[in-house]
Amino acid sequence: MTSVKHEVAEQLTTHLRNDTTDQAAEELRVPISDFVSEERAVLERDLLKRLPVIIGRSSEIAKPGNFITREVMGIPVIVSRQSNGHAAGYVNICRHRGGRVEDAECGSKRFFTCKYHGWSYSGDGGGLRGVPYDKFYTNVDRDRNSLHLFKVEEKHGFLFADFSSDSERNITDWLGPEVNEQLASFDLEDAAIYLDKSFTLDINWKVVLDGAIDVLHPKFLHPEGVGKLIETNTSVWKDYGRHGQVFSPRTKMGDLIRAGEEIEAAWKLISCNLFVYPNTMVIAAPDHVELWTVWPDPHNANRSTTQIRFLADAEHLASERGQRRMAKSWEILEDAAVNDDWPMELTIQQNSEAWPDGTYLYGRNEQPCQHLHRQLAKDLGIELDGITG
């Protein structure tokens, strides 16, 4: 990790001195219809259901019997801590007539019961436990009527859900050495959750992600906020296969370098955004980590839900100073995202619906956004290169 920090700091220093930035080999044009087409949205939802996605924190199910419920792309799920210490995932649908077997967002239970007809299931393995009036059924095979299972793996304090049938895939290999190294450096295993907010927006999920990883807009859209804190159009992009990471210098670093001054501990003046494909960003701040997860709506291409969490050291959060810093950090983020980014993105979505022909242009200096669209196109077997506006 130290070598990466040193390398990135040197690259950003060079960019700031020469007014340059990392660049892709070529520009990219993405069809506007990709952001409004229901046909395309169906393909993307199906893809995300075949890939590992972060749905929670291990700390949310700290003890055996603890559980959380979620909706993941329209699928109701339960994640429960087993007696053997492992996490298990169940589809929250009764095998009798389709009711949910658990309504609470979280808790601790030995079994889950559907309120419709009383069928119950073990929290340890999801097996069918009880069938009221069993004698009136010809045969209820307990083994064949357990809750549907899906794979849940834990890594770096996160719960990864995988609805695919790929038994060979494991989360360590999926993330790869670079992402594992970066996530390990954030030391999130025991991090506490300071805030957890969700926003449902009338915006396609890719437009939201574009805005969050974009490096060209800070001084234009946030001239009195983030634009004063982060340099615009100066970045280093690290490609980690499906994933990637963008590093941007803070304006203080730029001011010092342009003044010809030497900088000690330059890393402290660099922000980084780790994109964990397909829909998560881990953004490092000086005393906490922002975790963004952007979900496509299960029914509408023009809608999405963005979940934002702040993760930090529990002792830091327990202090008055820590609370003040967290509150200030949220104030800055709220001003940028809620008051600036999302209103702009809403107009982009509305304009895309009104005029879905043609393409949007991603320049060579927009590598993070290019990466998202190129990787999605690759996984969907769609050709993007060569499209003209």
Side-chain angles (χ1 to χ4, degrees):
M1 180 61 184
T2 302
S3 61
V4 173
K5 289 182 178 180
H6 181 71
E7 177 187 343
V8 168
E10 286 192 338
Q11 290 174 307
L12 286 175
T13 298
T14 300
H15 282 324
L16 288 165
R17 285 173 177 163
N18 300 323
D19 193 24
T20 56
T21 189
D22 276 14
Q23 297 187 62
E26 56 189 356
E27 64 184 28
L28 175 70
R29 287 192 176 270
V30 174
I32 298 173
S33 60
D34 282 5
F35 301 97
V36 297
S37 163
E38 196 54 47
E39 180 180 356
R40 170 61 184 249
V42 169
L43 295 177
E44 291 173 353
R45 292 177 204 130
D46 289 344
L47 174 64
L48 265 64
K49 290 175 184 177
R50 301 194 301 270
L51 302 177
V53 288
I54 293 175
I55 62 169
R57 297 276 301 156
S58 295
S59 59
E60 295 180 271
I61 52 168
K63 300 177 181 179
N66 289 173
F67 72 88
I68 55 173
T69 60
R70 295 281 191 274
E71 273 207 26
V72 183
M73 292 170 290
I75 303 173
V77 303
I78 302 170
V79 181
S80 176
R81 180 72 65 191
Q82 308 294 279
S83 59
N84 62 8
H86 295 161
Y90 313 126
V91 178
N92 191 4
I93 298 177
C94 180
R95 299 298 302 278
H96 177 217
R97 298 271 288 281
R100 295 197 178 185
V101 301
E102 183 54 55
D103 293 323
E105 293 183 0
C106 61
S108 184
K109 288 186 177 179
R110 293 176 55 197
F111 57 88
F112 305 106
T113 303
C114 177
K115 294 179 180 178
Y116 197 9
H117 298 102
W119 283 37
S120 61
Y121 302 84
S122 173
D124 218 29
L128 179 59
R129 177 179 178 274
V131 178
Y133 309 114
D134 193 10
K135 67 180 181 179
F136 294 97
Y137 297 93
T138 302
N139 178 42
V140 178
D141 187 321
R142 293 314 201 254
D143 294 332
R144 295 182 60 186
N145 286 280
S146 299
L147 293 175
H148 290 293
L149 303 175
F150 64 93
K151 184 163 63 174
V152 175
E153 291 188 77
E154 297 180 84
K155 192 76 175 178
H156 306 294
F158 295 117
L159 298 167
F160 289 83
D162 188 344
F163 295 102
S164 76
S165 57
D166 188 350
S167 60
E168 299 300 316
R169 180 166 60 201
N170 67 76
I171 202 63
T172 299
D173 292 343
W174 166 259
L175 294 174
E178 298 94 347
V179 176
N180 278 304
E181 180 182 11
Q182 289 294 319
L183 288 176
S185 73
F186 296 151
D187 194 23
L188 297 175
E189 292 280 357
D190 299 317
I193 300 172
Y194 169 71
L195 65 77
D196 183 348
K197 295 179 180 287
S198 291
F199 304 84
T200 296
L201 310 164
D202 289 327
I203 307 169
N204 182 275
W205 71 289
K206 300 186 299 299
V207 175
V208 177
L209 277 175
D210 270 352
I213 59 179
D214 180 90
V215 295
L216 298 185
H217 76 276
K219 73 176 183 180
F220 302 107
L221 191 58
H222 316 294
E224 300 303 319
V226 174
K228 289 185 174 181
L229 302 176
I230 301 294
E231 292 280 335
T232 296
N233 195 38
T234 302
S235 66
V236 167
W237 169 253
K238 295 293 185 183
D239 191 317
Y240 302 147
R242 278 189 167 92
H243 321 285
Q245 191 167 23
V246 62
F247 300 86
S248 298
R250 301 186 186 279
T251 51
K252 183 178 180 181
M253 180 178 179
D255 292 341
L256 291 171
I257 287 175
R258 284 186 286 264
E261 298 186 28
E262 294 294 325
I263 301 176
E264 294 185 6
W267 185 253
K268 294 182 179 180
L269 300 177
I270 298 171
S271 66
C272 64
N273 185 340
L274 176 63
F275 174 53
V276 182
Y277 183 79
N279 66 331
T280 293
M281 296 174 300
V282 185
I283 305 170
D287 57 0
H288 70 282
V289 165
E290 291 177 25
L291 176 68
W292 288 54
T293 311
V294 185
W295 298 100
D297 187 88
H299 309 294
N300 188 342
N302 302 299
R303 186 176 297 137
S304 61
T305 296
T306 298
Q307 183 182 30
I308 300 176
R309 291 181 169 187
F310 279 11
L311 308 177
D313 177 75
E315 286 189 18
H316 178 64
L317 291 181
S319 69
E320 185 177 334
R321 178 175 180 271
Q323 288 287 317
R324 287 198 307 269
R325 288 179 64 89
M326 291 294 103
K328 182 62 177 179
S329 294
W330 170 244
E331 180 183 326
I332 294 171
L333 176 58
E334 183 178 34
D335 180 59
V338 178
N339 299 332
D340 292 338
D341 285 330
W342 295 340
M344 171 58 72
E345 291 159 15
L346 180 59
T347 68
I348 293 171
Q349 191 65 37
Q350 292 169 340
N351 291 343
S352 301
E353 291 182 76
W355 199 273
D357 300 324
T359 60
Y360 288 141
L361 174 63
Y362 295 77
R364 293 176 59 199
N365 54 346
E366 299 181 78
Q367 280 189 289
C369 296
Q370 278 207 26
H371 178 86
L372 167 65
H373 295 285
R374 290 188 186 279
Q375 189 59 54
L376 281 173
K378 181 179 179 181
D379 284 343
L380 293 174
I382 295 172
E383 181 64 43
L384 280 180
D385 295 339
I387 294 173
T388 58

